[in-house]
Amino acid sequence: MQACLARVAETEPVVQAWAHLDGDHALAQARELDRIRRAGRATGVLHGVPVALKDIVDTADMPTQRGSVIFSGRQSGRDARLVERLREAGAVIMGKTRTTELAYLHPTVTTNPHDPSRTPGGSSSGSAAAVAARHVPLAIGTQTGGSVVRPASFCGVFGFKPSRGIIPRTGVFRTSITLDQIGGFANTLEDMALLVDAIGCYDQDDPASFARPRPGNLAGARAAVPVDPDIAWFDMPYQDRLDADTRAGLEAVLEALGDRVERFPAAPQLVGLTDVHKVIYDYEIAENMHDIARDHGGTLSQEMRAALERGTAISRAQYGEAIEIKASAEAFFVDHFNDFDAILAPSASGQALPLSAGNTGDAVYCTIWTLAGLPCLTLPVLVGADELPIGVQLIGAREQDDRLMRTAAWMQAALTGSAAREEV
Amino acid sequence: MQACLARVAETEPVVQAWAHLDGDHALAQARELDRIRRAGRATGVLHGVPVALKDIVDTADMPTQRGSVIFSGRQSGRDARLVERLREAGAVIMGKTRTTELAYLHPTVTTNPHDPSRTPGGSSSGSAAAVAARHVPLAIGTQTGGSVVRPASFCGVFGFKPSRGIIPRTGVFRTSITLDQIGGFANTLEDMALLVDAIGCYDQDDPASFARPRPGNLAGARAAVPVDPDIAWFDMPYQDRLDADTRAGLEAVLEALGDRVERFPAAPQLVGLTDVHKVIYDYEIAENMHDIARDHGGTLSQEMRAALERGTAISRAQYGEAIEIKASAEAFFVDHFNDFDAILAPSASGQALPLSAGNTGDAVYCTIWTLAGLPCLTLPVLVGADELPIGVQLIGAREQDDRLMRTAAWMQAALTGSAAREEV
């Protein structure tokens, strides 16, 4: 904990990952956990491990300010359900990391630890940056479009959004009941798996949560594949917007994986899902922000006001149709993963954008997987033209997150020593 | 599940363990769990295992009637927190087992599976009987005095009440916020450990619950002792009331364990704690039943009305003093367990009482351990004069339930083949 705080002291003035960090409180938690260990009491899988929380995750003992002046100083007085799980696992809740405004698009002040002139991505900006800057080994983020995978890619860390319903959302700020999903950041695949195993649980207060057992991600990450996995790649239209170095890097990965990958033209069932995602997101964020917009409209960003305008213009029928298409997309993926272990895809358009771009990057590379509730994992595999990290995304079958982890471990090993990392 | 239901059909007319049991609903859960397994989805540690719940534990899909006409037909519509955990572990919630009136003293109709003319003990009467009758391999009970340990002893099964705060009480009927604790029943030590491991968790809505990691009971039950354990025996005054066969059986156990047991005269710190327990229980049950007594006083049993009268007569000062003595007892046990791995003690006065006694037996052998929040485990070690089971109780250090399990496994092995089982 002291080492973590020392690294914070060193780089936080530039990175600005933290919305709330009380070093004394973190050290007090660590000392108490030391006392428990010395007393021979039980220790959990995260005993003494510092964990950062995106500033939309409630805690009983810290403010949760949601990246907006509207909630400045807000104290929920309660732990989110996932925070209960973290505490029970022995984690130290180190503090709250900066988020874009209300976990939507308007950037916060956090910078990319690899290059302070660039964005860390969003909306889980501070969580990705804090892990990349080694302020903390683990952090919690959320993804409604691409808010875990993209910042992880930009910051050169692992990012994982498990299947919808694995991690309970009670006590986490809601933007979209259909799309909001919780994930995390880590510096290794096994750390990533361990974190999600620790916090996943059934929560009857979260309508997405389910009473079925959780896949064991750590066991998956440590398992050998029974046979070399089958991986799919879709040539989606939006991939025309990839940066040249990213395109080349992904081609190198595809080449390194050889005949394990089958390439498909954009499936007709998939084209158009990005728009379906947008309809649901806009409609639901407008609903969820209704009271905030009414009471504090003047303090909202242009990005948020535009979303509310779009959302308000969407009819109940249009929304209903989008929800129906989403269901058929889910059915498509159930079939698809009978034949494939994972989908390989870009995590983002390329390296982190300059801050001057005024946005945290394009979520389009993530939205259709998020829409379908599939587990999405980004691995920091590539290095871009400016020596900045670029992630590669693997998407797995719903509720078979352990199988995705197993495939990811296989891919990591397959790419080690391959030309892919040096290609670009 | 079908085998369990067949055994229910065979013996339930005499045992009368169940307050609610819908075989079709149980089979539907089992079929769904089969489907998940066949689909290659994750399975939990209790996948497909039928579990019975004492009828004061709320479920979303069944009535919870608390052993009183006052709550006849009551549907909470919500799962207790521990039921969420059971469902996540893959358990089948088989139904609700009969409890004494409001989990207090007035007996229910359940009979002892070993002898239908005897009580199964209480208040968790149906849970102990259902496990003993092999209706179900696991059941949940609660203990405020001795309501897990005594029925387990009478019914010849394992009964375990973990340390206070291990199992969350949210969604379980409250009789005493200070004393109520949750436990379970099983036919083997490992089953017992597995059940408690599956349902223990931190729950901020239960003031007894704690954010620290849970001891691993199954690992404890499977661990070899590093050295032969040190066990204490206290000659408590109330043990004069033990039946002759039980006294002889316990002496045989003490002899078989030889120099691993140190015998103490009743410690001055311990004498009087049964009264302290009584003051707290009466005071708090009177508080908790206040509205029920006001609205439904006429339907309450004589036992309950007497408790309410006693509780109402206790002053705030007397109650406060009892709470203080409880704290000093807890401190006494912290010291004690620096020198000893466990306390050996009777579980009950002897074999199950005849139904004609009109009560479920005396809790006095359990109350001081319950008061101190210590983990209490009863093992079906002895056989009494009428060939009926008699349990032997082990009590461990607070929050070191795994160490207690380890000691219990050692004792089980030490007594196997010893003369103790045949002595009486």
Side-chain angles (χ1 to χ4, degrees), chain B residues 5 32 47-48 57 64 89 92-93 153 175 192 210 218-219 257 305 309 359 379 388 390 396 400 418 421:
Chain B
L5 290 173
E32 169 64 9
H47 198 89
V57 179
T64 309
V92 174
I93 309 301
S153 176
T175 68
M192 194 70 262
F210 50 78
L218 185 59
L257 299 179
R305 276 182 283 157
E309 247 174 63
N359 70 75
L379 300 89
L388 292 171
I390 298 173
Q400 298 187 22
S418 84
R421 289 197 81 115

Side-chain angles (χ1 to χ4, degrees), chain B residues 90-176:
Chain B
V92 174
I93 309 301
M94 185 146 157
K96 299 299 179 70
T97 49
R98 290 188 189 277
T99 171
T100 57
E101 177 202 35
L102 302 169
Y104 195 57
L105 297 179
H106 190 71
T108 179
V109 295
T110 308
T111 64
N112 192 306
H114 294 272
D115 178 346
S117 75
R118 308 235 182 185
T119 177
S123 61
S124 309
S125 316
S127 289
V131 171
R134 306 302 200 259
H135 291 180
V136 73
L138 298 172
I140 301 293
T142 65
Q143 173 157 319
T144 310
S147 287
V148 167
V149 166
R150 188 172 72 265
S153 176
F154 283 179
C155 291
V157 299
F158 288 82
F160 181 37
K161 180 209 74 59
S163 295
R164 182 169 55 232
I166 295 277
I167 305 176
R169 301 178 298 179
T170 299
V172 179
F173 183 63
R174 173 182 294 171
T175 68
S176 161

Side-chain angles (χ1 to χ4, degrees), chain A residues 318-329:
Chain A
Q318 284 171 299
Y319 170 72
E321 191 190 357
I323 292 287
E324 268 176 43
I325 299 173
K326 170 181 163 290
S328 68

Side-chain angles (χ1 to χ4, degrees), chain A residues 36 39 41-44 78-79 81 84-85 87-88 200-205 211-215 398-399, chain B residues 36 41-44 78-79 81 84-85 87-88 200-205 211-215 398-399:
Chain A
I36 289 169
R41 296 272 169 110
T43 53
R78 269 187 79 80
D79 283 337
R81 186 71 178 260
E84 283 188 343
R85 297 285 294 175
R87 294 194 199 273
E88 185 189 334
C201 71
Y202 170 50
D203 170 9
Q204 65 191 313
D205 294 321
R212 299 181 290 282
R214 269 61 194 152
R398 182 108 163 266
E399 289 182 45
Chain B
I36 288 170
R41 297 273 167 110
T43 53
R78 268 187 79 80
D79 283 338
R81 185 71 177 260
E84 282 188 344
R85 298 285 293 175
R87 293 194 200 274
E88 185 188 334
C201 71
Y202 170 50
D203 171 9
Q204 65 191 312
D205 294 321
R212 298 182 290 282
R214 269 62 194 152
R398 183 109 163 264
E399 290 183 44

Side-chain angles (χ1 to χ4, degrees), chain A residues 218-242:
Chain A
L218 186 58
R222 288 176 169 173
V225 291
V227 294
D228 283 354
D230 292 308
I231 298 175
W233 169 277
F234 292 103
D235 286 313
M236 299 296 286
Y238 54 70
Q239 288 162 6
D240 296 348
R241 286 182 258 158
L242 287 173

Side-chain angles (χ1 to χ4, degrees), chain A residues 111-173:
Chain A
T111 64
N112 192 306
H114 295 272
D115 178 346
S117 75
R118 308 232 182 187
T119 178
S123 62
S124 309
S125 317
S127 288
V131 171
R134 307 301 201 262
H135 290 180
V136 73
L138 299 172
I140 301 293
T142 64
Q143 173 158 319
T144 309
S147 287
V148 167
V149 166
R150 189 171 74 264
S153 177
F154 283 179
C155 290
V157 300
F158 288 82
F160 181 37
K161 180 209 73 62
S163 295
R164 181 170 55 230
I166 296 278
I167 306 176
R169 300 179 297 180
T170 299
V172 179
F173 183 62

